[in-house]
Amino acid sequence: MPKLSIAVLASGRGSNFQVVIDGINSKEINGEIKVLITDNPEAVAIERAKKNKIPFEIINRKDFKTREEMDLKIKSILDKNKVDLIVLAGYMKIISSKELLTAYKYKIINIHPSLLPAFKGSMQAQVDAFEYGCKIAGLTIHFVTEDVDGGPIIFQKVVDISNCKSGEEAAAEILIHEHESYKKVIDSFSKGKYKIEGKRAIFVPY
Ligand code: GRF
């Protein structure tokens, strides 16, 4: 089975990026990371890339007149690296370029720390779930489309947060499950394809 060529987009601490690195090293993910793209020159993810000799590109919004221009620069990096799968791992910008989204339709995935459509679009969905008084929360891995947090759902997992004492504790609990789930879902792309029927993503093994 050929290895997946992966690009990771991350803006911050990059714990999910680290999961991809570790998953490849432990052979739980049949892939290789071609490039890390970040919009944040201070991202901890950059340190992780350096440590693991992964090429990285900093694409800073302030260097571009429009978001479209920025997204097209990202597209050119993805094209150059011939990637099969683009993994958003705490990437804090909305990808809005139609050209980029069309060229990589159903090849961009994101992890959102809620059971979508609950807390769709929230930047702190775990805290929102805790403050709402939810007893269960969770995570959703979905395809990225122009509808923010609204693309076809690939995987969801329920996480019991009923014993958590704060939103931060709920986030930490959910993060553990994010890591194990993202690793499995990323690897699934080397084992089959997702057929999209309406809004449903159905896994078809090779
Ligand atoms: C994760 O909680 C992820 O669900 C959300 O942003 C956070 C990123 O964390 N999209 P990290 O940078 O991967 O540690």
Side-chain angles (χ1 to χ4, degrees):
M1 202 91 66
K3 275 187 191 170
L4 283 173
S5 290
I6 300 169
V8 178
L9 272 67
S11 303
R13 85 192 146 176
S15 71
N16 280 289
F17 173 43
Q18 188 67 50
V19 161
V20 187
I21 297 170
D22 295 344
I24 290 171
N25 289 341
S26 64
K27 302 209 176 345
E28 288 164 282
I29 296 175
N30 176 27
E32 64 177 314
I33 303 174
K34 289 294 190 70
V35 64
L36 166 76
I37 302 173
T38 183
D39 61 313
N40 174 13
E42 310 288 321
V44 178
I46 296 172
E47 300 313 311
R48 300 182 194 271
K50 283 184 183 162
K51 207 168 157 200
N52 291 279
K53 300 194 169 47
I54 294 165
F56 63 91
E57 303 259 8
I58 301 169
I59 307 300
N60 202 329
R61 175 67 180 88
K62 71 175 176 46
D63 298 331
F64 299 88
K65 276 199 226 80
T66 61
R67 259 175 36 194
E68 178 72 13
E69 251 181 51
M70 176 178 177
D71 281 354
L72 291 181
K73 175 67 187 170
I74 293 173
K75 179 178 176 292
S76 73
I77 297 168
L78 300 172
D79 292 348
K80 192 175 75 194
N81 284 284
K82 298 194 184 351
V83 299
D84 307 313
L85 184 68
I86 299 135
V87 174
L88 305 193
Y91 182 61
M92 302 311 267
K93 292 267 184 308
I94 291 168
I95 297 177
S96 55
S97 161
K98 268 210 164 60
E99 201 175 322
L100 169 53
L101 290 170
T102 307
Y104 289 94
K105 194 169 183 190
Y106 303 135
K107 288 188 172 175
I108 313 177
I109 63 172
N110 181 44
I111 187 161
H112 186 73
S114 79
L115 292 171
L116 286 169
F119 308 110
K120 189 177 181 227
S122 170
M123 302 291 259
Q124 45 148 29
Q126 314 94 318
V127 175
D128 292 350
F130 176 83
E131 284 174 358
Y132 194 90
C134 296
K135 302 296 180 205
I136 56 163
L139 63 98
T140 303
I141 299 169
H142 63 91
F143 285 107
V144 173
T145 62
E146 63 284 351
D147 180 10
V148 177
D149 293 334
I153 292 172
I154 301 166
F155 180 84
Q156 288 187 300
K157 186 165 188 184
V158 172
V159 179
D160 183 345
I161 59 163
S162 59
N163 292 321
C164 293
K165 303 279 180 286
S166 66
E168 290 66 37
E169 210 182 290
E173 187 62 37
I174 294 167
L175 190 65
I176 297 168
H177 297 276
E178 286 188 40
H179 291 163
E180 80 179 26
S181 303
Y182 223 6
K183 192 161 54 183
K184 286 188 188 140
V185 167
I186 291 167
D187 184 57
S188 74
F189 282 82
S190 78
K191 299 192 163 75
K193 268 194 168 357
Y194 286 87
K195 192 173 72 177
I196 309 297
E197 286 180 3
K199 281 213 66 177
R200 304 187 66 79
I202 300 150
F203 183 68
V204 185
Y206 286 136

